[in-house]
Amino acid sequence: MEYRLLGRSGLKISTVTMGTMTFGGVGWARKTGDLGVPEAKRLVDLCLDTGVNLIDTADVYSGGVCEEIIGEILGGKRKDGVLLATKARFRMGDGPNDLGCSRQHLIAACEASLRRMKTDVIDLYHLHEWDGQTPLEETMEALDTLIRDGKVRYVGCSNFSGWHIMKALGVSEKDKRQRFVSQQIHYTLEARDAEYELLPIAVDQGLGVLIWSPLAGGLLSGKHRRNQAAPEGTRQFAGWTEPPIRDENRLWNIVETLVSIAEGRGVSAAQVALAWLIGRKPVTSVVIGGRTEAQFRDNLAAADLKLTEEERKRLDDVSRPPVIYPYWHQLNEATDRLSEADMALFGSHLK
């Protein structure tokens, strides 16, 4: 297992992070899985034994039950080197302040997560989503307070747009608050939208990048094929709608390329998709999840799979996103003055 620095911090995390949305199975999360403590513990032990050092969750997963299961598994004490990441922003109660990124909600949410996970500190605390109604000065001050109080060690964001991130970083610098060290985003061969703004910002501003749903809800696992019904037991079979598929023909072209490369290497299509992500320079770690030991073992093997330049080119060619404005103008007129951050978008277009 390789370990990479998380953004500008001194914290090293494994290139594969364990996702836990399949724990609990309460409410909307039941579509992803309903693992209890015994099943979840076997998967946690498997990941830790393989070298994974970060477990990722969120308070909203199964209404807090997911965090409670993690607390039961870790037994109130951390195994050596295990890091915990969780998130807050979404509704966790019926009250008017039981959601959002206000000081009131973030501090209460963090303290509730600490209790559920039976721990004294959260290593990485992400804002789960943008809150357009709370001033960023208040949000960043609340996160800074959590760090100064020893409840959180590092903070980041998830599902923010480019201008959201830059505004938050500007507020942190202006007010001398702790800044984001990372962003957790959706980014796959099928959905490369993050290359327009989020990956260049990561390079330019020194943010770590963690990828949620790196197999596009299982669409890139190789189990889903052109002109075939979704396999029973998958998220799509259960009516899961993330990520949205805007060009189905393009999706199947990508899947067919993944399967072709995988067959040539004697590995799974899922491993190839994950290896492509891990090999992308701005990416720090991919967050894998699943219901079974077989799924986790297969995904974990991607940490050791190195794609050739020819294989990467085939995947880039079949999945490359269109160059939208102002980037097509920059590609035409500004390639003599591109930065390393610019290349997070333009790199595959200039080859």
Side-chain angles (χ1 to χ4, degrees):
M1 182 68 66
E2 179 187 352
Y3 301 90
R4 296 174 179 172
L5 287 170
L6 186 64
R8 290 181 183 172
S9 79
L11 184 69
K12 285 191 171 185
I13 67 170
S14 46
T15 54
V16 175
T17 292
M18 182 180 191
T20 59
M21 193 187 288
T22 55
F23 295 4
V26 175
W28 59 266
R30 187 172 183 81
K31 291 180 179 180
T32 69
D34 58 356
L35 301 180
V37 173
E39 301 92 342
K41 184 178 185 305
R42 284 194 291 272
L43 298 178
V44 168
D45 289 342
L46 169 64
C47 288
L48 298 184
D49 289 345
T50 310
V52 171
N53 73 342
L54 179 62
I55 298 174
D56 178 77
T57 187
D59 60 0
V60 76
Y61 295 169
S62 289
V65 174
C66 182
E67 289 184 330
E68 291 175 354
I69 290 174
I70 291 172
E72 289 299 316
I73 292 171
L74 297 181
K77 60 181 179 180
R78 303 281 191 95
K79 296 183 179 182
D80 291 344
V82 177
L83 305 171
L84 284 179
T86 192
K87 316 175 196 72
R89 153 64 170 87
F90 292 117
R91 180 170 289 282
M92 290 297 291
D94 297 328
N97 294 307
D98 291 336
L99 79 166
C101 296
S102 67
R103 180 187 299 108
Q104 170 70 27
H105 180 65
L106 287 180
I107 292 177
C110 178
E111 291 172 346
S113 290
L114 290 169
R115 289 193 297 271
R116 285 191 289 265
M117 294 193 290
K118 299 181 181 180
T119 186
D120 295 327
V121 64
I122 294 164
D123 299 289
L124 179 59
Y125 200 46
H126 279 124
L127 301 179
H128 206 161
E129 182 66 87
W130 172 251
D131 176 0
Q133 296 187 358
T134 301
L136 273 169
E137 288 79 4
E138 177 178 339
T139 297
M140 302 313 293
E141 186 273 336
L143 295 176
D144 193 72
T145 296
L146 290 172
I147 291 177
R148 286 187 284 107
D149 287 350
K151 296 174 181 176
V152 167
R153 291 200 171 117
Y154 298 94
V155 295
C157 61
S158 182
N159 305 311
F160 274 36
S161 69
W163 75 266
H164 294 155
I165 294 174
M166 292 306 298
K167 187 173 181 180
L169 293 174
V171 167
S172 296
E173 182 175 355
K174 174 176 67 72
D175 295 342
K176 295 181 171 54
R177 305 291 187 194
Q178 292 289 332
R179 74 196 304 272
F180 294 149
V181 300
S182 60
Q183 55 175 324
Q184 188 172 135
I185 64 174
H186 182 63
Y187 176 49
T188 71
L189 278 162
E190 191 282 324
R192 294 177 62 174
D193 314 47
E195 293 177 14
Y196 295 128
E197 292 284 342
L198 300 182
L199 295 190
I201 286 171
V203 174
D204 185 70
Q205 296 296 312
L207 295 177
V209 178
L210 295 92
I211 308 300
W212 63 262
S213 196
L215 296 177
L219 287 173
L220 302 180
S221 66
K223 297 177 182 177
H224 299 267
R225 304 298 292 273
R226 194 190 302 268
N227 299 324
Q228 294 182 13
E232 187 171 354
T234 64
R235 292 189 195 181
Q236 276 65 37
F237 185 88
W240 194 257
T241 58
E242 292 187 357
I245 305 302
R246 297 187 174 92
D247 186 340
E248 189 169 335
N249 185 58
R250 175 176 174 272
L251 166 65
W252 301 130
N253 290 341
I254 292 169
V255 170
E256 287 163 3
T257 304
L258 284 170
V259 170
S260 174
I261 293 172
E263 289 176 347
R265 296 290 295 269
V267 299
S268 70
Q271 288 178 39
V272 175
L274 294 171
W276 180 85
L277 279 171
I278 293 171
R280 291 285 289 164
K281 187 173 182 180
V283 173
T284 311
S285 185
V286 295
V287 183
I288 64 167
R291 300 180 181 89
T292 69
E293 182 176 330
Q295 288 174 318
F296 271 95
R297 286 191 182 278
D298 183 77
N299 288 182
L300 287 165
D304 297 322
L305 178 62
K306 306 299 181 186
L307 300 179
T308 66
E309 286 302 312
E310 189 274 335
E311 290 167 337
R312 297 192 69 85
K313 184 178 185 303
R314 287 177 62 189
L315 293 168
D316 277 333
D317 288 347
V318 76
S319 65
R320 185 179 293 110
V323 183
I324 61 174
Y325 180 80
Y327 306 114
W328 58 256
H329 199 278
Q330 294 168 6
L331 190 60
N332 288 338
E333 307 294 342
T335 54
D336 60 332
R337 304 280 287 185
L338 295 179
S339 69
E340 183 181 359
D342 293 318
M343 293 301 290
L345 167 62
F346 292 130
S348 66
H349 292 274
L350 293 172
K351 291 180 180 178

